């Protein structure tokens, strides 16, 4: 099917990182496979992409990450064991994901930063706009998912979009931080959209251009690949997506969006525990509501 370059069909998941903050758990298990309740982080991300009508998942993996490919595939033995038993419903969600999407994989051979990881995905994405999800930023919404909110904005603005949230100034050194000019949008709260003029990767609080931090949701136009190829290593000696986006921003081609919803930093133990408690409560209250409905 020809793509008119307005619909985002593909979502890229950089998933090659070592997950050192979760050692020893991540020694043999990819950090993207750590479960919040019974579902791996990466599956939450894939389901968010599906909710935004994407069906091609492009995953940039690395050594020791084979469990990811096995997860998004049929396990015949398990299917055989569980079929017709009371446990079959445990597989419903993952079956839906597997049937509705195509997964493709490539490996990042050397860890040279997020920009480099995204560039590794070029062969899987090709010449079309695409989304990026960093699975350790786990998002949840009662309404539309964050990526869904962003794809709608893309249809109007047709440029790269980063999701941002307000952070305490002391945390600026954990994020890409942006600055820019507010754009008014009839359906959004004022200040929700910003035309980005500056962005800095992990600045100290004194050097942060604002308190708006990028979280792991991006929509990128495909010219980003050539820009990354020309981007020199930045913070930490790594090729940063923030630096590549700054080149687009200088051409007025990046928007930052203060999304609606909750986001958990599951790259940290505290955020992971917070997410686990949140989803546990949420799932229990919906189970109770369903029970009450039956009575
Ligand atoms: C990456 C990006 C950073 C962004 C963050 C969001 O950093 O480099 O700009 O704010 O993700 O989670 P990382 O968390 O991989 O160090």
């Amino acid at each position: 099917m020809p793509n008119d370059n307005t619909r985002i069909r593909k979502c890229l998941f950089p998933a090659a990182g070592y997950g050192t903050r979760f050692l020893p758990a991540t020694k043999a298990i990819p950090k993207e496979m750590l479960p919040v309740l019974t579902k791996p982080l990466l599956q939450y991300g894939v389901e968010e992409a599906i909710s935004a009508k994407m069906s091609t998942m492009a995953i940039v993996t690395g050594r020791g990450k084979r469990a990811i490919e096995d997860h998004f595939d049929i396990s015949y033995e398990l299917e055989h064991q569980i079929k017709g038993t009371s446990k079959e419903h445990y597989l419903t969600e993952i079956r839906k994901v597997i049937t509705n999407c195509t997964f493709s994989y490539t490996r990042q051979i050397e860890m040279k930063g997020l920009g480099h990881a995204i560039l590794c995905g070029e062969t899987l994405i090709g010449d079309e706009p695409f989304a990026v999800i960093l699975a350790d930023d786990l998002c949840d919404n009662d309404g539309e998912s964050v990526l869904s909110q962003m794809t709608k904005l893309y249809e109007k603005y047709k440029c790269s979009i980063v999701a941002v949230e307000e952070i305490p100034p002391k945390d600026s050194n954990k994020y890409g931080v942006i600055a820019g000019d507010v754009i008014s949008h009839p359906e959004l709260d004022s200040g929700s959209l910003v035309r980005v003029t500056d962005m800095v990767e992990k600045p100290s609080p004194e050097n942060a251009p604002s308190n708006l931090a990028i979280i792991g949701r991006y929509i990128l136009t495909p010219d980003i690949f050539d820009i990354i190829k020309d981007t020199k290593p930045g913070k930490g000696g790594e090729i940063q997506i923030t630096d590549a986006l700054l080149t687009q921003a200088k051409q007025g081609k990046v928007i930052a969006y203060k999304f609606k919803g909750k986001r958990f930093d599951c790259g940290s133990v505290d955020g992971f525990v917070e997410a686990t408690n949140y989803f546990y409560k949420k799932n229990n209250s919906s189970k109770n509501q369903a029970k009450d409905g039956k009575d």
Side-chain angles (χ1 to χ4, degrees):
M1 199 173 67
N3 187 36
D4 59 6
N5 266 7
T6 54
R7 203 165 80 73
I8 314 279
R9 305 183 304 167
K10 299 184 179 177
C11 188
L12 185 75
F13 295 85
Y18 297 124
T20 38
R21 277 188 279 176
F22 282 88
L23 282 170
T26 47
K27 206 167 155 244
I29 296 171
K31 68 169 174 166
E32 297 75 15
M33 291 302 294
L34 294 177
V36 167
L37 305 187
T38 55
K39 202 177 351 183
L41 281 175
L42 189 54
Q43 191 180 330
Y44 284 92
V46 168
E47 287 176 0
E48 185 178 332
I50 295 173
S51 78
K53 302 199 168 54
M54 293 166 207
S55 56
T56 303
M57 308 299 155
I59 306 188
V60 179
T61 65
R63 286 178 291 281
K65 300 272 187 168
R66 286 195 198 156
I68 294 178
E69 292 182 46
D70 290 339
H71 184 72
F72 294 107
D73 195 358
I74 294 278
S75 161
Y76 284 106
E77 249 177 75
L78 187 61
E79 289 287 333
H80 178 73
Q81 286 289 326
I82 219 169
K83 205 169 176 57
T85 72
S86 59
K87 292 181 183 157
E88 201 174 350
H89 68 277
Y90 289 127
L91 290 180
T92 315
E93 278 186 337
I94 185 66
R95 275 182 186 153
K96 238 190 257 166
V97 167
I98 295 169
T99 346
N100 290 322
C101 304
T102 309
F103 290 85
S104 54
Y105 300 88
T106 191
R107 278 194 183 195
Q108 186 181 9
I109 309 291
E110 286 174 277
M111 301 302 124
K112 291 202 261 178
L114 181 57
H116 177 254
I118 291 174
L119 181 59
C120 289
E122 183 179 15
T123 46
L124 305 178
I125 299 295
D127 188 21
E128 58 183 277
F130 61 103
V132 175
I133 288 186
L134 307 184
D136 51 17
D137 274 335
L138 177 51
C139 293
D140 187 55
N141 292 78
D142 289 327
E144 259 183 322
S145 70
V146 176
L147 213 52
S148 211
Q149 296 165 40
M150 291 171 76
T151 50
K152 283 204 178 142
L153 289 171
Y154 179 78
E155 281 160 23
K156 182 170 160 69
Y157 295 99
K158 298 192 178 61
C159 66
S160 291
I161 304 175
V162 294
V164 291
E165 74 178 5
E166 285 177 18
I167 50 150
K170 67 170 176 41
D171 288 344
S172 65
N173 59 2
K174 296 184 192 157
Y175 300 95
V177 181
I178 67 108
D181 307 316
V182 169
I183 311 173
S184 65
H185 186 291
E187 286 150 37
L188 297 175
D189 297 340
S190 82
S192 296
L193 270 192
V194 171
R195 177 80 62 188
V196 177
T197 53
D198 194 13
M199 49 208 309
V200 187
E201 179 67 7
K202 305 198 172 103
S204 61
E206 312 81 73
N207 294 326
S210 77
N211 65 343
L212 287 179
I214 303 170
I215 64 122
R217 299 292 179 279
Y218 304 77
I219 288 187
L220 301 174
T221 52
D223 55 314
I224 200 73
F225 293 125
D226 282 341
I227 298 175
I228 298 173
K229 287 172 201 161
D230 286 336
T231 301
K232 303 251 162 356
K235 192 89 190 178
E238 296 188 331
I239 299 171
Q240 300 293 349
I241 190 62
T242 308
D243 296 340
L245 278 164
L246 178 60
T247 303
Q248 284 189 332
K250 285 186 180 150
Q251 302 159 2
K253 290 182 183 159
V254 181
I255 283 176
Y257 169 54
K258 245 196 249 174
F259 62 96
K260 296 192 186 108
K262 270 189 154 315
R263 167 253 173 192
F264 299 94
D265 172 17
C266 290
S268 76
V269 175
D270 286 353
F272 198 94
V273 172
E274 211 187 306
T276 304
N277 289 332
Y278 167 86
F279 281 99
Y280 183 72
K281 271 198 203 130
K282 187 172 171 173
N283 283 8
N284 271 4
S285 79
S286 57
K287 267 187 215 153
N288 288 340
Q289 272 168 16
K291 251 195 243 156
D292 291 346
K294 272 186 201 159
D295 294 339

